[in-house]
Amino acid sequence: FKPRAVPKILNFIFEDNKKLQTVFEVKPFDEEEIMGLFKQADPNKPIEIILRMNEDFSNRSLIFKQGDKEIPIKKVDLDNMWEYKN
């Protein structure tokens, strides 16, 4: 963990068992929602933003996590995914 600004965009790149890479992008975060989450957080503890999904990439959710506290990030397009080609 290291200090960073509140994110405006976020990209996850992951690979399946066939080596196919996929991008999941949050662009942009809903400013009111993300700022509200950070304002509720303890500034002295690390924060994680976690993408959760099934192995087949279904049932996606984005989670704001600090310690044991987990809050779903709701105002996000969970279908914003595409194959990564480098």
Side-chain angles (χ1 to χ4, degrees):
F1 294 98
K2 60 183 174 179
R4 297 191 186 264
V6 175
K8 288 189 180 209
I9 64 170
L10 185 62
N11 290 311
F12 292 87
I13 300 174
F14 44 91
E15 188 173 270
D16 66 14
N17 57 3
K18 297 176 186 170
K19 304 296 184 198
L20 176 69
Q21 293 183 321
T22 302
V23 176
F24 173 79
E25 181 177 64
V26 179
K27 181 180 176 182
F29 275 100
D30 179 87
E31 188 172 338
E32 187 176 319
E33 180 182 32
I34 198 72
M35 292 302 288
L37 291 170
F38 273 86
K39 285 179 184 176
Q40 293 176 40
D42 181 339
N44 299 310
K45 294 181 180 176
I47 294 167
E48 297 176 85
I49 296 179
I50 300 169
L51 173 62
R52 289 199 178 129
M53 63 187 147
N54 294 337
E55 195 171 304
D56 66 355
F57 305 155
S58 65
N59 199 30
R60 290 181 292 279
S61 63
L62 200 59
I63 306 296
F64 182 92
K65 183 176 190 306
Q66 188 174 48
D68 293 335
K69 185 177 181 179
E70 294 187 2
I71 303 169
I73 301 173
K74 296 178 182 176
K75 297 180 181 177
V76 63
D77 179 2
L78 293 171
D79 293 323
N80 194 14
M81 292 178 56
W82 64 91
E83 183 179 340
Y84 179 72
K85 297 180 183 184
N86 50 5

